[in-house]
Amino acid sequence: MARSNKSPESAVLARSSAQPPRVTAAERPASRTVVIASYLLITGGLLLVMWKDLLPGLLFVCIGFLATRAFARGIESLVRRALPARMGHPITSTLPGVLAAAFVVLAPIGLVALVFAEAREFVLNAPEQYKELLDYIARTVLELKLKLPETVSVYLPDGAAEVQRMVASYLRTQAGALALTGRAWLGGLLFAYVGLIVGALAGVSRGHLVQGPLATQLEQRIRLFGEAFRQIVAAQFWIAAFNTLLTAGFLLLLLPLWGMRLPYEPALITLTFVAGLVPIVGNLLCNTVLTLVGLSVSPAAAAACLVFLIVIHKGEYVINAKVVGTKTHMAVWELLAVMFVAEAVFGPAGLVAAPLFYAYLKKELEANRLV
């Protein structure tokens, strides 16, 4: 019988090489229970966002994260060009992220300060503009009283004083609703800014923590949600550009043909693009500002801006569905159906969230090869 020529050391090496590599907890295939738990958690989180009106915070978390990462890459590229020999220094490795986060957090404050500085004259002249508006309404009402039958004209106010009394009475009866609306807007702005801070801090964080199977699955859900948000933002960029083009044509071409010009036209066009990056609500916001600025010029200009607002708002459904559907591989009809159903269930917030949530749902279904 032949003796083996293998040494003991070679036998040990052979046995060690035959052993399978160690698999960490994060690399092991997740159990069905863990996967289902991750889906339940992400679904419950999104429903909680809609139930508690936290959608602005969620959107601005994503915006803050993506903006911080994008600015950090740009700053890092500039630092590499300016200081190529010092890239190993720990300060330069963290400096781009810190600067990017600081810019993302402080830029809204500077923008708000600039807007208030520019709008100071408009606020100071508000009483005079209100008086002119009442006089215009009174003249219009008097003309209608002369043209309408007497049985109808008796229900119209007699002059500016009665118009003012009716407006004051309406505001008094709606004071509670107006207070709740103002509180909702302030709460939404607060959640949005806190979400921006959270997203900016998350964009700076570079820590690699040991994750269990549930954390790994949640990370996959969040990654797919982030991809859907990035696609929606890309689509919304083209929608904002299209709305800005329409607004520029309205302000620079159409209104001058009627002998009217609005102040701060460059600022209004810029606001249209920036606010247009937020689906639906951004378009309503910038057109509301247009209407208020038009009111400072004349009631006719305000009426023209209001008509423009209504037309663009209704056209936003089809434009949004077409562009977003192309970017996210969704048919126009299904996205329109989702938008209408979400608006019926959750109101305007559902209209904003529908493209994002549905794009995320499609990505999950595609990842599991179900569609």
Side-chain angles (χ1 to χ4, degrees):
M1 187 167 127
R3 295 177 60 185
S4 172
N5 294 327
K6 293 183 179 180
S7 63
E9 292 81 0
S10 62
V12 172
L13 290 175
R15 285 196 301 270
S16 62
S17 62
Q19 293 177 355
R22 292 184 178 181
V23 180
T24 63
E27 293 174 344
R28 295 193 190 102
S31 65
R32 186 179 182 87
T33 303
V34 172
V35 175
I36 293 176
S38 68
Y39 282 121
L40 291 177
L41 285 174
I42 196 70
T43 303
L46 294 179
L47 289 177
L48 181 64
V49 164
M50 300 303 298
W51 177 39
K52 290 298 184 179
D53 298 325
L54 298 176
L55 183 62
L58 175 63
L59 295 179
F60 276 85
V61 166
C62 300
I63 291 174
F65 181 85
L66 294 179
T68 301
R69 287 291 174 90
F71 285 131
R73 285 194 296 267
I75 296 173
E76 186 174 357
S77 177
L78 293 176
V79 171
R80 287 183 184 277
R81 294 177 185 177
L83 304 171
R86 296 184 57 194
M87 284 313 299
H89 198 281
I91 295 180
T92 56
S93 63
T94 59
L95 181 62
V98 173
L99 291 178
F103 176 78
V104 170
V105 171
L106 296 178
I109 299 177
L111 182 62
V112 169
L114 179 63
V115 169
F116 273 108
E118 292 292 332
R120 182 176 55 186
E121 183 179 354
F122 175 77
V123 174
L124 292 177
N125 294 332
E128 185 65 26
Q129 296 162 9
Y130 174 71
K131 182 178 180 300
E132 293 178 359
L133 177 62
L134 286 180
D135 292 340
Y136 178 82
I137 294 175
R139 289 196 302 269
T140 305
V141 169
L142 291 176
E143 292 177 2
L144 288 175
K145 287 178 70 72
L146 295 176
K147 296 178 180 179
L148 293 175
E150 186 176 354
T151 55
V152 178
S153 63
V154 293
Y155 295 100
L156 298 176
D158 293 327
E162 190 171 353
V163 171
Q164 188 172 8
R165 183 183 58 78
M166 293 174 61
V167 171
S169 176
Y170 175 79
L171 292 178
R172 188 165 51 251
T173 57
Q174 299 296 322
L178 291 174
L180 290 176
T181 302
R183 190 181 306 169
W185 273 97
L186 289 176
L189 290 176
L190 177 62
F191 286 135
Y193 189 68
V194 172
L196 191 70
I197 295 175
V198 172
L201 295 178
V204 174
S205 176
R206 299 285 183 177
H208 299 283
L209 302 177
V210 178
Q211 296 182 349
L214 180 58
T216 303
Q217 289 297 312
L218 285 175
E219 184 180 7
Q220 294 180 8
R221 307 283 83 78
I222 295 173
R223 180 178 56 80
L224 289 177
F225 186 85
E227 291 178 1
F229 182 82
R230 190 178 292 108
Q231 289 181 341
I232 295 296
V233 168
Q236 199 63 35
F237 175 85
W238 295 108
I239 295 173
F242 179 74
N243 288 340
T244 304
L245 180 63
L246 291 180
T247 303
F250 175 73
L251 294 178
L252 302 178
L253 298 177
L254 194 57
L255 281 182
L257 289 178
W258 295 339
M260 293 179 289
R261 295 295 296 264
L262 296 187
Y264 312 115
E265 288 175 345
L268 291 174
I269 294 173
T270 304
L271 174 66
T272 300
F273 178 77
V274 175
L277 295 176
V278 181
I280 308 297
V281 175
N283 182 51
L284 290 174
L285 173 64
C286 63
N287 281 282
T288 302
V289 173
L290 279 177
T291 304
L292 293 176
V293 175
L295 184 60
S296 68
V297 175
S298 69
C305 293
L306 185 60
V307 172
F308 180 74
L309 160 67
I310 295 173
V311 172
I312 291 298
H313 175 55
K314 296 307 178 184
E316 184 85 355
Y317 280 94
V318 179
I319 297 170
N320 198 16
K322 180 64 177 177
V323 178
V324 173
T326 302
K327 290 289 183 181
T328 57
H329 309 290
M330 293 184 289
V332 176
W333 67 266
E334 56 180 323
L335 187 53
L336 274 175
V338 170
M339 289 169 65
F340 281 121
V341 171
E343 185 182 23
V345 176
F346 297 107
L351 189 61
V352 176
L356 175 59
F357 288 6
Y358 190 63
Y360 166 65
L361 175 62
K362 291 276 288 191
K363 282 193 169 295
E364 288 286 4
L365 295 175
E366 289 173 356
N368 290 278
R369 299 180 181 180
L370 296 177
V371 293

